[in-house]
Amino acid sequence: MIRWNVVLAGGVGSRFWPLSTPERPKQLLPLVTDAPMLCDTIDRLRPSAPPERTLVLTNASLRDAVLRLDPSLPPENVIAEPRPAGTCAALAWAAQLIAQRDGSDAVMVCTHADWAIGDVPAFRATLDHAATVALAERALVTVGIVPSRPDSGFGYIQPGALVRDDVRRVARFAEKPDRATAERMVADGYLWNSGIFVWCVGDLLEEIRLHTPEVQPALEQSEGDLARFFAEVTSIAIDVGVLERSQRVLVLPGQFGWDDVGTWAALHRVRQHDSQENAMLGPSVACQATGNVVHADGTQVVLYGVHDLVVVARSGLVMVTSRDKAADLKTLLDALPPEVRDR
């Protein structure tokens, strides 16, 4: 098996304001550990494929920053997307590039740069299993996370007929549900849609040819020209453009402490806690304070007698909210004057 790792590292992570900026989005920030999230991601994947078989797909404005973070990556393996065009376009381009270098049977393992993983050995073992299944079954394989709670912030996958061992066909993908629906889905054995995808590149390209008119014409006509492809392609997610239309999609369950770190509050789930259940990074002190999230970027933070807050401090700016409200930073950003929001 020839295996490639592909890391999706685009986006700006606006829900991590005021630390995240277009020039330094969340995937380039040390949010879970002392290392940037993208570095953590590449390190987790490194044992399964060398840097020359690792692609990072990112915004054009971030290409140089990615190369500075990991100089072991060949410059040609950091793909600078000229504009956001959805995950289907990005992964289609990656698959075509891999097929040109290593043939259509090369296995492509796709992950995102902004996840926290609690059990790294189990994560690697699951990806190895998914790669074996993708090659043996010539299928598009996704890893569905066994839910630890009913969460309305994730999409879900309904497993269908058993194919082999713990691998099943996908009966359907479900969009982010409300709380009551999420509870029913968890009780009925649905899995979280993690965004982990594994396939032979030729199989993905064939399914795009058959099912994805939003992408296939641009892929054919681009003749290897990245700028032309992204200028002509229609933006669409891989789930919608391929997986929901294909009959070759399989799912296997994953249990390795996966978390899509989407908000400041999520850091309370994935960071180490102190004796008072606070998740703090940077110079900070808590006294009679419990359940808080603190990210102090060079500015000392002291908490006293407060609970379940999010405090983000950087030079010249401090943001304080509750863990419950941390998912709704868009409302805050819309209300702020530009001189504060864009500082």
Side-chain angles (χ1 to χ4, degrees):
M1 180 191 298
I2 299 174
R3 176 165 156 179
W4 283 70
N5 292 325
V6 175
V7 180
L8 291 164
V12 297
S14 61
R15 285 181 291 180
F16 281 87
W17 185 89
L19 201 63
S20 179
T21 66
E23 298 77 27
R24 194 170 175 243
K26 71 172 181 175
Q27 61 269 30
L28 304 188
L29 296 173
L31 293 177
V32 179
T33 70
D34 291 336
M37 297 185 76
L38 176 57
C39 292
D40 285 343
T41 300
I42 294 174
D43 286 345
R44 282 194 294 266
L45 296 170
R46 201 179 301 275
S48 62
E52 57 268 25
R53 292 207 305 273
T54 298
L55 296 181
V56 176
L57 310 176
T58 191
N59 309 339
S61 61
L62 300 179
R63 182 176 182 273
D64 290 344
V66 170
L67 287 170
R68 285 194 298 270
L69 280 182
D70 192 338
S72 73
L73 290 170
E76 64 272 17
N77 283 18
V78 179
I79 310 302
E81 302 174 25
R83 69 174 179 92
T87 52
C88 193
L91 295 177
W93 186 263
Q96 180 176 261
L97 188 62
I98 293 168
Q100 291 168 353
R101 295 188 189 178
D102 273 329
S104 60
D105 290 338
V107 174
M108 170 176 164
V109 177
C110 316
T111 65
H112 288 250
D114 53 359
W115 294 337
I117 303 295
D119 187 342
V120 173
F123 171 74
R124 290 173 178 156
T126 302
L127 295 188
D128 291 346
H129 181 28
T132 299
V133 171
L135 185 59
E137 300 291 335
R138 304 307 304 219
L140 311 185
V141 179
T142 183
V143 175
I145 304 300
V146 178
S148 58
R149 61 190 181 278
D151 196 313
S152 57
F154 300 144
Y156 284 74
I157 298 171
Q158 182 183 21
L162 184 67
V163 174
R164 52 183 281 181
D165 303 323
D166 56 350
V167 180
R168 293 180 177 272
R169 299 203 175 276
V170 170
R172 74 180 184 101
F173 291 90
E175 294 299 319
K176 296 175 181 179
D178 57 32
R179 175 74 183 191
T181 303
E183 290 176 351
R184 289 197 300 272
M185 286 178 168
V186 171
D188 290 342
Y190 282 62
L191 304 169
W192 287 338
N193 186 358
S194 68
I196 299 172
F197 308 120
V198 185
W199 41 55
C200 295
V201 291
D203 295 336
L204 174 65
L205 293 170
E206 175 67 8
E207 293 302 282
I208 288 173
R209 186 185 67 80
L210 293 173
H211 302 296
T212 319
E214 297 88 348
V215 173
Q216 178 61 22
L219 201 61
E220 283 183 349
Q221 297 163 16
S222 65
E223 298 179 347
D225 186 328
L226 179 72
R228 181 179 176 185
F229 171 69
F230 275 90
E232 297 178 358
V233 73
T234 299
S235 179
I236 192 169
I238 190 74
D239 308 63
V240 177
V242 179
L243 302 183
E244 293 180 6
R245 301 171 183 176
S246 173
Q247 300 301 309
R248 299 170 65 181
V249 186
L250 305 180
V251 61
L252 59 87
Q255 286 184 289
F256 38 77
W258 173 91
D259 204 299
D260 177 12
V261 184
T263 69
W264 284 113
L267 297 182
H268 196 263
R269 296 193 297 266
V270 301
R271 280 186 181 172
Q272 294 288 329
H273 291 172
D274 66 11
S275 60
Q276 301 173 88
E277 293 299 308
N278 298 301
M280 303 195 295
L281 192 66
S284 49
V285 177
C287 179
Q288 298 179 28
T290 59
N292 300 289
V293 174
V294 177
H295 192 99
D297 189 8
T299 298
Q300 181 76 53
V301 172
V302 177
L303 302 183
Y304 175 52
V306 295
H307 314 284
D308 300 325
L309 295 182
V310 171
V311 180
V312 183
R314 64 177 179 84
S315 179
L317 183 61
V318 177
M319 188 272 291
V320 181
T321 185
S322 66
R323 283 167 54 191
D324 287 343
K325 296 293 287 184
D328 190 29
L329 282 193
K330 186 178 186 303
T331 300
L332 169 64
L333 293 175
D334 290 345
L336 289 176
E339 63 268 21
V340 176
R341 182 184 62 238
D342 301 331
R343 186 166 180 161

